[in-house]
Amino acid sequence: MAESDIFLSYARHDQSIARMFADSLVLEGFTVWWDASLRSGQTFDEVIEKELRDSKAVVVLWSTRSVASRWVRAEATLADRRNKLVPAMIEACDRPIIFELTHAADLCDWSGDTSDKAWKSFVLDLRRLVDADARTARPPDRRTGRQSSTDDPVSLDAEPVPAASPAAPRPVAGNGAGEQQSSELHCLEMEPGELIGDPVAINSSSLRIGRSAPAEVILPHKSVSREHCIIGLANDELFVTDLNSTNGTYIDGVRISRGTILPVGSILKVGEVSLRHAVRTDATVQPLSQFRPSGDQTFQAGRFATAS
């Protein structure tokens, strides 16, 4: 039997919630193993240990019951050692102290809605981790940002990469000995249209794009939802996930919903606003917090201004 994408760890009394997670993750395209999958005659502890070791990610559901479970603690510890732990809080509780410094998705109020923003972010983290090996085996062409086998936007179902913390600029070698190195930044450049502005650097694992705050990158256009999509940087790639926007998020004309790679040179269309993914040196673009759209020095950082 092929290895599962996800091993689901939970306390017995949380089985109904675990089933909701398992069913929803299957709908997202993952293969999920949890102990309800045990077949008659199988040795309980041996099967669990094998599935735990073979899975690509381990989702631990933390609750007041699971933190008291020796089984759940042991499964979380093994997953953490193998760098494949993806915990989620399903109830307010004090986690085992060893896991307090590990980020856990807050899904305490999640009721099964797969369009929920917290759920989408959780699924995006899982996709990056689950298909890390496949992504490492087939890196994209740096000139185009695409896989050689297709010109379509790359869904994380096929081509995801591992989750990453906010990345440092990537060094680029100079032309001569002793020449100071520069670095490259992934940016969104405004295409000609109703909005104008300087390029926005994407140097975080998660930035929201929307029409107004609390979005970090603000596009004041009527076609853009208040919180339209999430864009983030992982393993030197940009990823975009739609947040159930009204007018949709598109990459090179193809509408997306799940986390999808935005190749270098491709057009990200947010509602009716088009942005191009470009790579620039730090000499030609400033950090997001220092941006000012051209022609409007009073406009807030990270925003694009309406063209005059």
Side-chain angles (χ1 to χ4, degrees):
M1 183 180 295
E3 65 185 28
S4 301
D5 293 330
I6 296 169
F7 179 100
L8 188 59
S9 176
Y10 67 100
R12 178 66 57 188
H13 290 292
D14 296 326
Q15 188 173 46
S16 61
I17 298 176
R19 183 176 295 279
M20 181 176 67
F21 270 78
D23 291 345
S24 298
L25 289 169
V26 169
L27 290 175
E28 297 284 357
F30 297 107
T31 56
V32 181
W33 191 95
W34 58 313
D35 58 15
S37 307
L38 279 168
R39 299 175 183 172
S40 177
Q42 290 180 315
T43 305
F44 186 82
D45 55 346
E46 291 181 1
V47 173
I48 287 181
E49 184 174 352
K50 181 181 184 302
E51 294 292 340
L52 181 61
R53 293 181 183 276
D54 290 347
S55 64
K56 300 172 185 176
V58 176
V59 171
V60 174
L61 304 182
W62 288 124
S63 68
T64 54
R65 295 157 296 280
S66 63
V67 297
S69 168
R70 293 178 62 187
W71 275 101
V72 175
R73 285 172 177 254
E75 290 163 358
T77 298
L78 181 57
D80 189 46
R81 287 175 183 171
R82 292 172 174 259
N83 297 315
K84 56 182 181 181
L85 175 63
V86 187
M89 302 292 295
I90 61 172
E91 181 180 274
C93 61
D94 293 325
R95 288 173 287 163
I97 191 168
I98 191 173
F99 300 113
E100 281 293 341
L101 297 180
T102 301
H103 171 72
D106 185 356
L107 294 172
C108 295
D109 298 324
W110 185 66
S111 58
D113 180 6
T114 56
S115 67
D116 182 83
K117 289 179 289 185
W119 173 259
K120 281 181 171 288
S121 179
F122 176 66
V123 169
L124 180 57
D125 287 342
L126 277 170
R127 290 192 188 284
R128 290 169 177 165
L129 184 58
V130 161
D131 293 307
D133 292 340
R135 185 62 188 167
T136 302
R138 291 190 291 134
D141 185 333
R142 182 59 189 159
R143 295 169 298 176
T144 64
R146 301 181 184 274
Q147 299 294 326
S148 58
S149 59
T150 179
D151 289 330
D152 293 333
V154 185
S155 170
L156 290 183
D157 290 340
E159 306 294 342
V161 301
S165 300
R170 182 163 44 87
V172 179
N175 295 325
E179 182 177 347
Q180 185 177 6
Q181 289 186 335
S182 61
S183 58
E184 291 182 349
L185 293 173
H186 291 269
C187 305
L188 293 179
E189 297 180 342
M190 184 66 64
E191 291 288 283
E194 296 183 35
L195 302 182
I196 59 174
D198 294 334
V200 171
I202 307 300
N203 56 8
S204 169
S205 59
S206 179
L207 287 175
R208 288 165 295 179
I209 298 177
R211 188 176 66 249
S212 60
E216 289 85 13
V217 179
I218 297 176
L219 303 175
H221 192 276
K222 61 183 180 181
S223 68
V224 178
S225 297
R226 186 167 180 263
E227 293 187 50
H228 197 103
C229 61
I230 291 177
I231 189 165
L233 180 65
N235 200 25
D236 202 31
E237 293 281 5
L238 287 189
F239 294 84
V240 182
T241 303
D242 185 74
L243 293 176
N244 198 29
S245 63
T246 300
N247 294 311
T249 302
Y250 298 79
I251 294 179
D252 292 333
V254 178
R255 188 164 185 167
I256 66 167
S257 56
R258 297 179 174 179
T260 304
I261 292 175
L262 177 64
V264 176
S266 289
I267 299 296
L268 172 64
K269 189 174 181 182
V270 181
E272 297 176 8
V273 179
S274 295
L275 306 159
R276 182 180 297 274
H277 176 195
V279 176
R280 292 191 172 202
T281 65
D282 57 1
T284 60
V285 64
Q286 299 179 39
L288 176 62
S289 61
Q290 298 179 21
F291 282 153
R292 295 291 185 278
S294 56
D296 187 352
Q297 295 301 314
T298 64
F299 214 67
Q300 292 185 19
R303 300 192 182 193
F304 287 100
T306 304
S308 55

